């Protein structure tokens, strides 16, 4: 038997198993399941939604947080979006642990991430404050906690990994780890 036949004979069972594979290898198609929110400035409405995150921990598990850039705020809703839970803007909130109030209200908030880890910041919300070039950190209910600063260039996003580490990409090609 030539080596070519051995190779082809070895590939035949593999090809058959792939062609006859069940749902694990089947193509999946995703489509719109639902939506919520209407244009406006009232509670539960959006002018320019610019980011969304879902809480997977604590009392807010399943809640959906939406950055409303046009109204300079973050609003949050229950898991289906049918119930408005609250909003925060970064100003007029409780002082952080060092007694300092939030330096300024959100201005052009853009990105958002929630710490869904089991670490000490579990459930906390990180918001990119584009015009101020910082990341503001809030509790799940909008209490201002502190601010991440010192970025070399414009901040363009934020993410939190499963260990609770914060990752911040910058406009001119860098990723910071906090």
């Amino acid at each position: 038997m030539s080596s070519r036949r051995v190779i082809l004979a070895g590939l035949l069972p593999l090809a058959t198993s792939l062609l006859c594979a069940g749902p694990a290898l089947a193509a999946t198609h995703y489509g719109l399941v639902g939506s919520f929110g209407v244009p406006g400035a009232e509670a539960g409405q959006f002018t320019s939604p610019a980011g969304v995150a879902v809480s997977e921990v604590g009392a807010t598990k399943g809640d959906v947080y939406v950055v409303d850039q046009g109204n300079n705020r973050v609003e949050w809703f229950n898991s289906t979006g049918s119930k408005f839970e609250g909003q925060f803007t970064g100003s007029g909130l409780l002082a952080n642990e060092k007694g300092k109030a939030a330096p300024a209200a959100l201005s052009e908030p853009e990105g958002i991430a929630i710490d869904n880890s089991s670490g000490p910041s579990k459930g906390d919300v990180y918001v990119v404050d584009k015009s101020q070039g910082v990341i503001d950190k809030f509790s799940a209910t909008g209490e201002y906690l502190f601010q991440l600063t010192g970025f070399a260039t414009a901040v363009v996003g934020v993410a939190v990994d499963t260990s609770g580490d914060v990752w911040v990409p910058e406009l001119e090609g860098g990723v910071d780890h906090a």
Side-chain angles (χ1 to χ4, degrees):
M1 181 181 264
S2 76
S3 63
R4 184 176 178 171
R5 286 188 185 167
V6 171
I7 293 171
L8 289 176
L11 290 177
L12 185 59
L14 175 62
T16 303
S17 67
L18 288 175
L19 291 174
C20 299
L25 295 176
T28 303
H29 300 280
Y30 297 97
L32 183 63
V33 174
S35 63
F36 64 91
V38 295
E42 300 296 319
Q45 299 176 339
F46 311 115
T47 298
S48 299
V52 65
V54 177
S55 176
E56 294 297 329
V57 294
T60 61
K61 184 174 181 170
D63 284 358
V64 179
Y65 290 74
V66 180
V67 172
D68 183 7
Q69 189 174 56
N71 290 313
N72 291 315
R73 66 184 176 194
V74 174
E75 297 184 292
W76 81 95
F77 301 82
N78 67 355
S79 62
T80 63
S82 62
K83 182 180 177 205
F84 172 77
E85 299 286 350
Q87 67 182 8
F88 49 94
T89 63
S91 64
L93 299 172
L94 301 174
N96 68 10
E97 66 279 357
K98 295 180 182 174
K100 296 180 182 177
L106 292 172
S107 179
E108 294 185 62
E110 190 169 79
I112 187 168
I114 298 175
D115 185 342
N116 286 317
S117 74
S118 59
S121 293
K122 134 176 115 174
D124 288 347
V125 180
Y126 295 85
V127 180
V128 174
D129 195 338
K130 183 179 175 181
S131 75
Q132 297 178 53
V134 299
I135 305 281
D136 288 324
K137 181 180 177 181
F138 300 91
S139 71
T141 57
E143 178 185 349
Y144 174 80
L145 299 173
F146 67 83
Q147 196 171 73
L148 299 173
T149 62
F151 302 104
T153 63
V155 175
V156 294
V158 62
V160 182
D161 67 22
T162 57
S163 298
D165 293 335
V166 178
W167 297 87
V168 181
E170 293 186 55
L171 184 63
E172 294 183 16
V175 177
D176 297 318
H177 177 227

